[in-house]
Amino acid sequence: MTPTTFNPGKGAGSTVGIAILGYGTVGSQVLRLMVENADEFAHRTGGPLEVRGVAVSNKEKHVGTLADELGLLTDDARSLIKRDDVDLVVEVIGGIDYPRELVLSALRSGKSVVTANKALVAAHSAELAEAADQAGVDLYFEAAVAAAIPVVGPLRRSLAGDQVQSVAGIVNGTTNFILDAMDSTGASYDDMLAEATRLGYAEADPTADVEGYDAASKAAILASLAFHTRVTADDVHCEGITNITAHDIQAAKAAGYTIKLLAICDRLKDEAGHESIAARVHPTLVPRNHPLANVHKSFNAIFVEAEAAGRLMFYGNGAGGNPTASAVLGDIVGAGRNKVFGGRAPGESTYANLPIANFGDVPTRFHIDMTVVDIIGVLAELTKIFAAHGISLRTVRQEEGTEKNARLLVMTHEAKESDLAATVETLKDAPSVIKVNSVIRMVGE
Ligand code: HSE
């Protein structure tokens, strides 16, 4: 093409060759949308996008699919990546070890990578970023956090001029579905997990979702981006929702709260002005008038507070083939444009290198549910225990109990995790405490 007719803005730039690794729910939607909207994507990218191959572990399983009809299926991902006509590798396999090998191989071969793999990015961001930097290529992962919701790009680019103070999000649809259903029906965790499984929200093995591991990977990615500091999933304190009872939900409701599994990333400052960061995932009481309390069913939402921007909320579909494909395709266009026009997307930014706070030092508010002996003086005894650990009480409610027992529900002012943990240990041994039923953290005013 001569310089006079070359017009990459009209999609007439060089072709971007693409390898798709994985052909499950996401990979198949990515291919379908790329084929159906090829002209649009050529214009948006500056040159045509051409899929060179789709790597799967077993070609037989995909007979009759679009990838098969187009003659794209291969079971040799390693060779596909290395082809000279592949510029960009899209990883939608899932898991960690095998995709890690493939993604590193792609980056080291000078191919940009788009991945939807939160576990991979959260566990191995350092070596992936280093490989991308050394080869001068892009590593995009918008789909790794909350699928279709643009939050990685906004944190990486749009908020690069601001100081993010906190990120708090519902980043797991399965657990949000379960907790929301418990809240609206009053049913138990087990029953609503069964319902989530029946409706296809929960996987056959729901461990990664219900134990909070999936959300912890996303929290690590969000904290890294927000605070310009490398945070891995191992740095994230993680508790799941399996112990949340119908009574916890009902007690929260009675006090004007709902319970959500939140990923919370905070910038902290100690009395001497030293900054640190904390990332945690745990069930949390959220006031019913808080925007995150109104995120229902399997929707996700991420609430960001930044110094200059103030409060921002990102809301939408955080899972599923099409929503995830939307984010992957956005990244493909971004990485493709850089191949056509030159240049790179912003890479990993870890210059701030803030220390990860000791979890015991993280300040939080707590809701403590106890069954106590219903005798005169019990409240005085218990409030003394809180006071002895320097914890100030905000509210104390008593539920109707049996003739001899009462259920006490205590909300604290902000206290350190370590002080609260010590308080709970003392409470468990107190003569008037029959049982500490639950301790759940809280957010909001
Ligand atoms: N299993 C996740 C969820 C989606 O339930 O939100 C993929 O991260």
Side-chain angles (χ1 to χ4, degrees), residues 218-342:
K218 294 166 183 168
I221 296 172
L222 291 170
S224 302
L225 293 162
F227 306 130
H228 302 273
T229 293
R230 190 169 288 147
V231 182
T232 69
D234 288 341
D235 297 319
V236 180
H237 175 88
C238 177
E239 294 173 28
I241 65 164
T242 52
N243 293 327
I244 298 295
T245 63
H247 182 273
D248 291 329
I249 299 271
Q250 175 253 310
K253 227 173 172 175
Y257 290 76
T258 186
I259 298 179
K260 297 289 190 189
L261 183 73
L262 294 192
I264 303 176
C265 313
D266 283 318
R267 183 189 292 273
L268 306 171
K269 207 177 244 185
D270 68 15
E271 281 157 13
H274 299 128
E275 283 198 329
S276 61
I277 58 171
R280 52 204 163 103
V281 167
H282 50 64
T284 314
L285 266 79
V286 179
R288 293 187 94 82
N289 61 3
H290 189 288
L292 289 175
N294 294 302
V295 177
H296 298 292
K297 303 200 169 167
S298 64
F299 282 95
N300 284 195
I302 297 108
F303 194 71
V304 178
E305 290 198 67
E307 217 168 75
R311 295 174 167 186
L312 307 166
M313 182 142 131
F314 303 83
Y315 171 89
N317 277 311
N322 271 333
T324 310
S326 163
V328 168
L329 286 160
D331 282 353
I332 290 174
V333 170
R337 284 182 73 85
N338 293 340
K339 290 282 177 194
V340 175
F341 293 97

Side-chain angles (χ1 to χ4, degrees), residues 118 171-174 203 209 214 218 318-319:
K118 79 227 71 156
V171 291
N172 184 270
T174 306
E203 292 182 32
D209 292 319
D214 173 82
K218 294 166 183 168

Side-chain angles (χ1 to χ4, degrees), residues 126-193:
E127 65 176 344
L128 299 180
E130 195 183 305
D133 281 345
Q134 276 181 4
V137 293
D138 286 328
L139 172 64
Y140 277 82
F141 47 87
E142 182 63 66
V145 182
I149 305 173
V151 65
V152 170
L155 282 170
R156 194 143 89 156
R157 286 188 297 270
S158 321
L159 289 166
D162 210 330
Q163 188 84 332
V164 176
Q165 300 297 347
S166 68
V167 179
I170 294 167
V171 291
N172 184 270
T174 306
T175 46
N176 202 52
F177 178 89
I178 294 170
L179 292 172
D180 189 49
M182 288 174 75
D183 185 275
S184 57
T185 63
S188 70
Y189 166 77
D190 285 336
D191 284 351
M192 290 305 95
L193 170 61

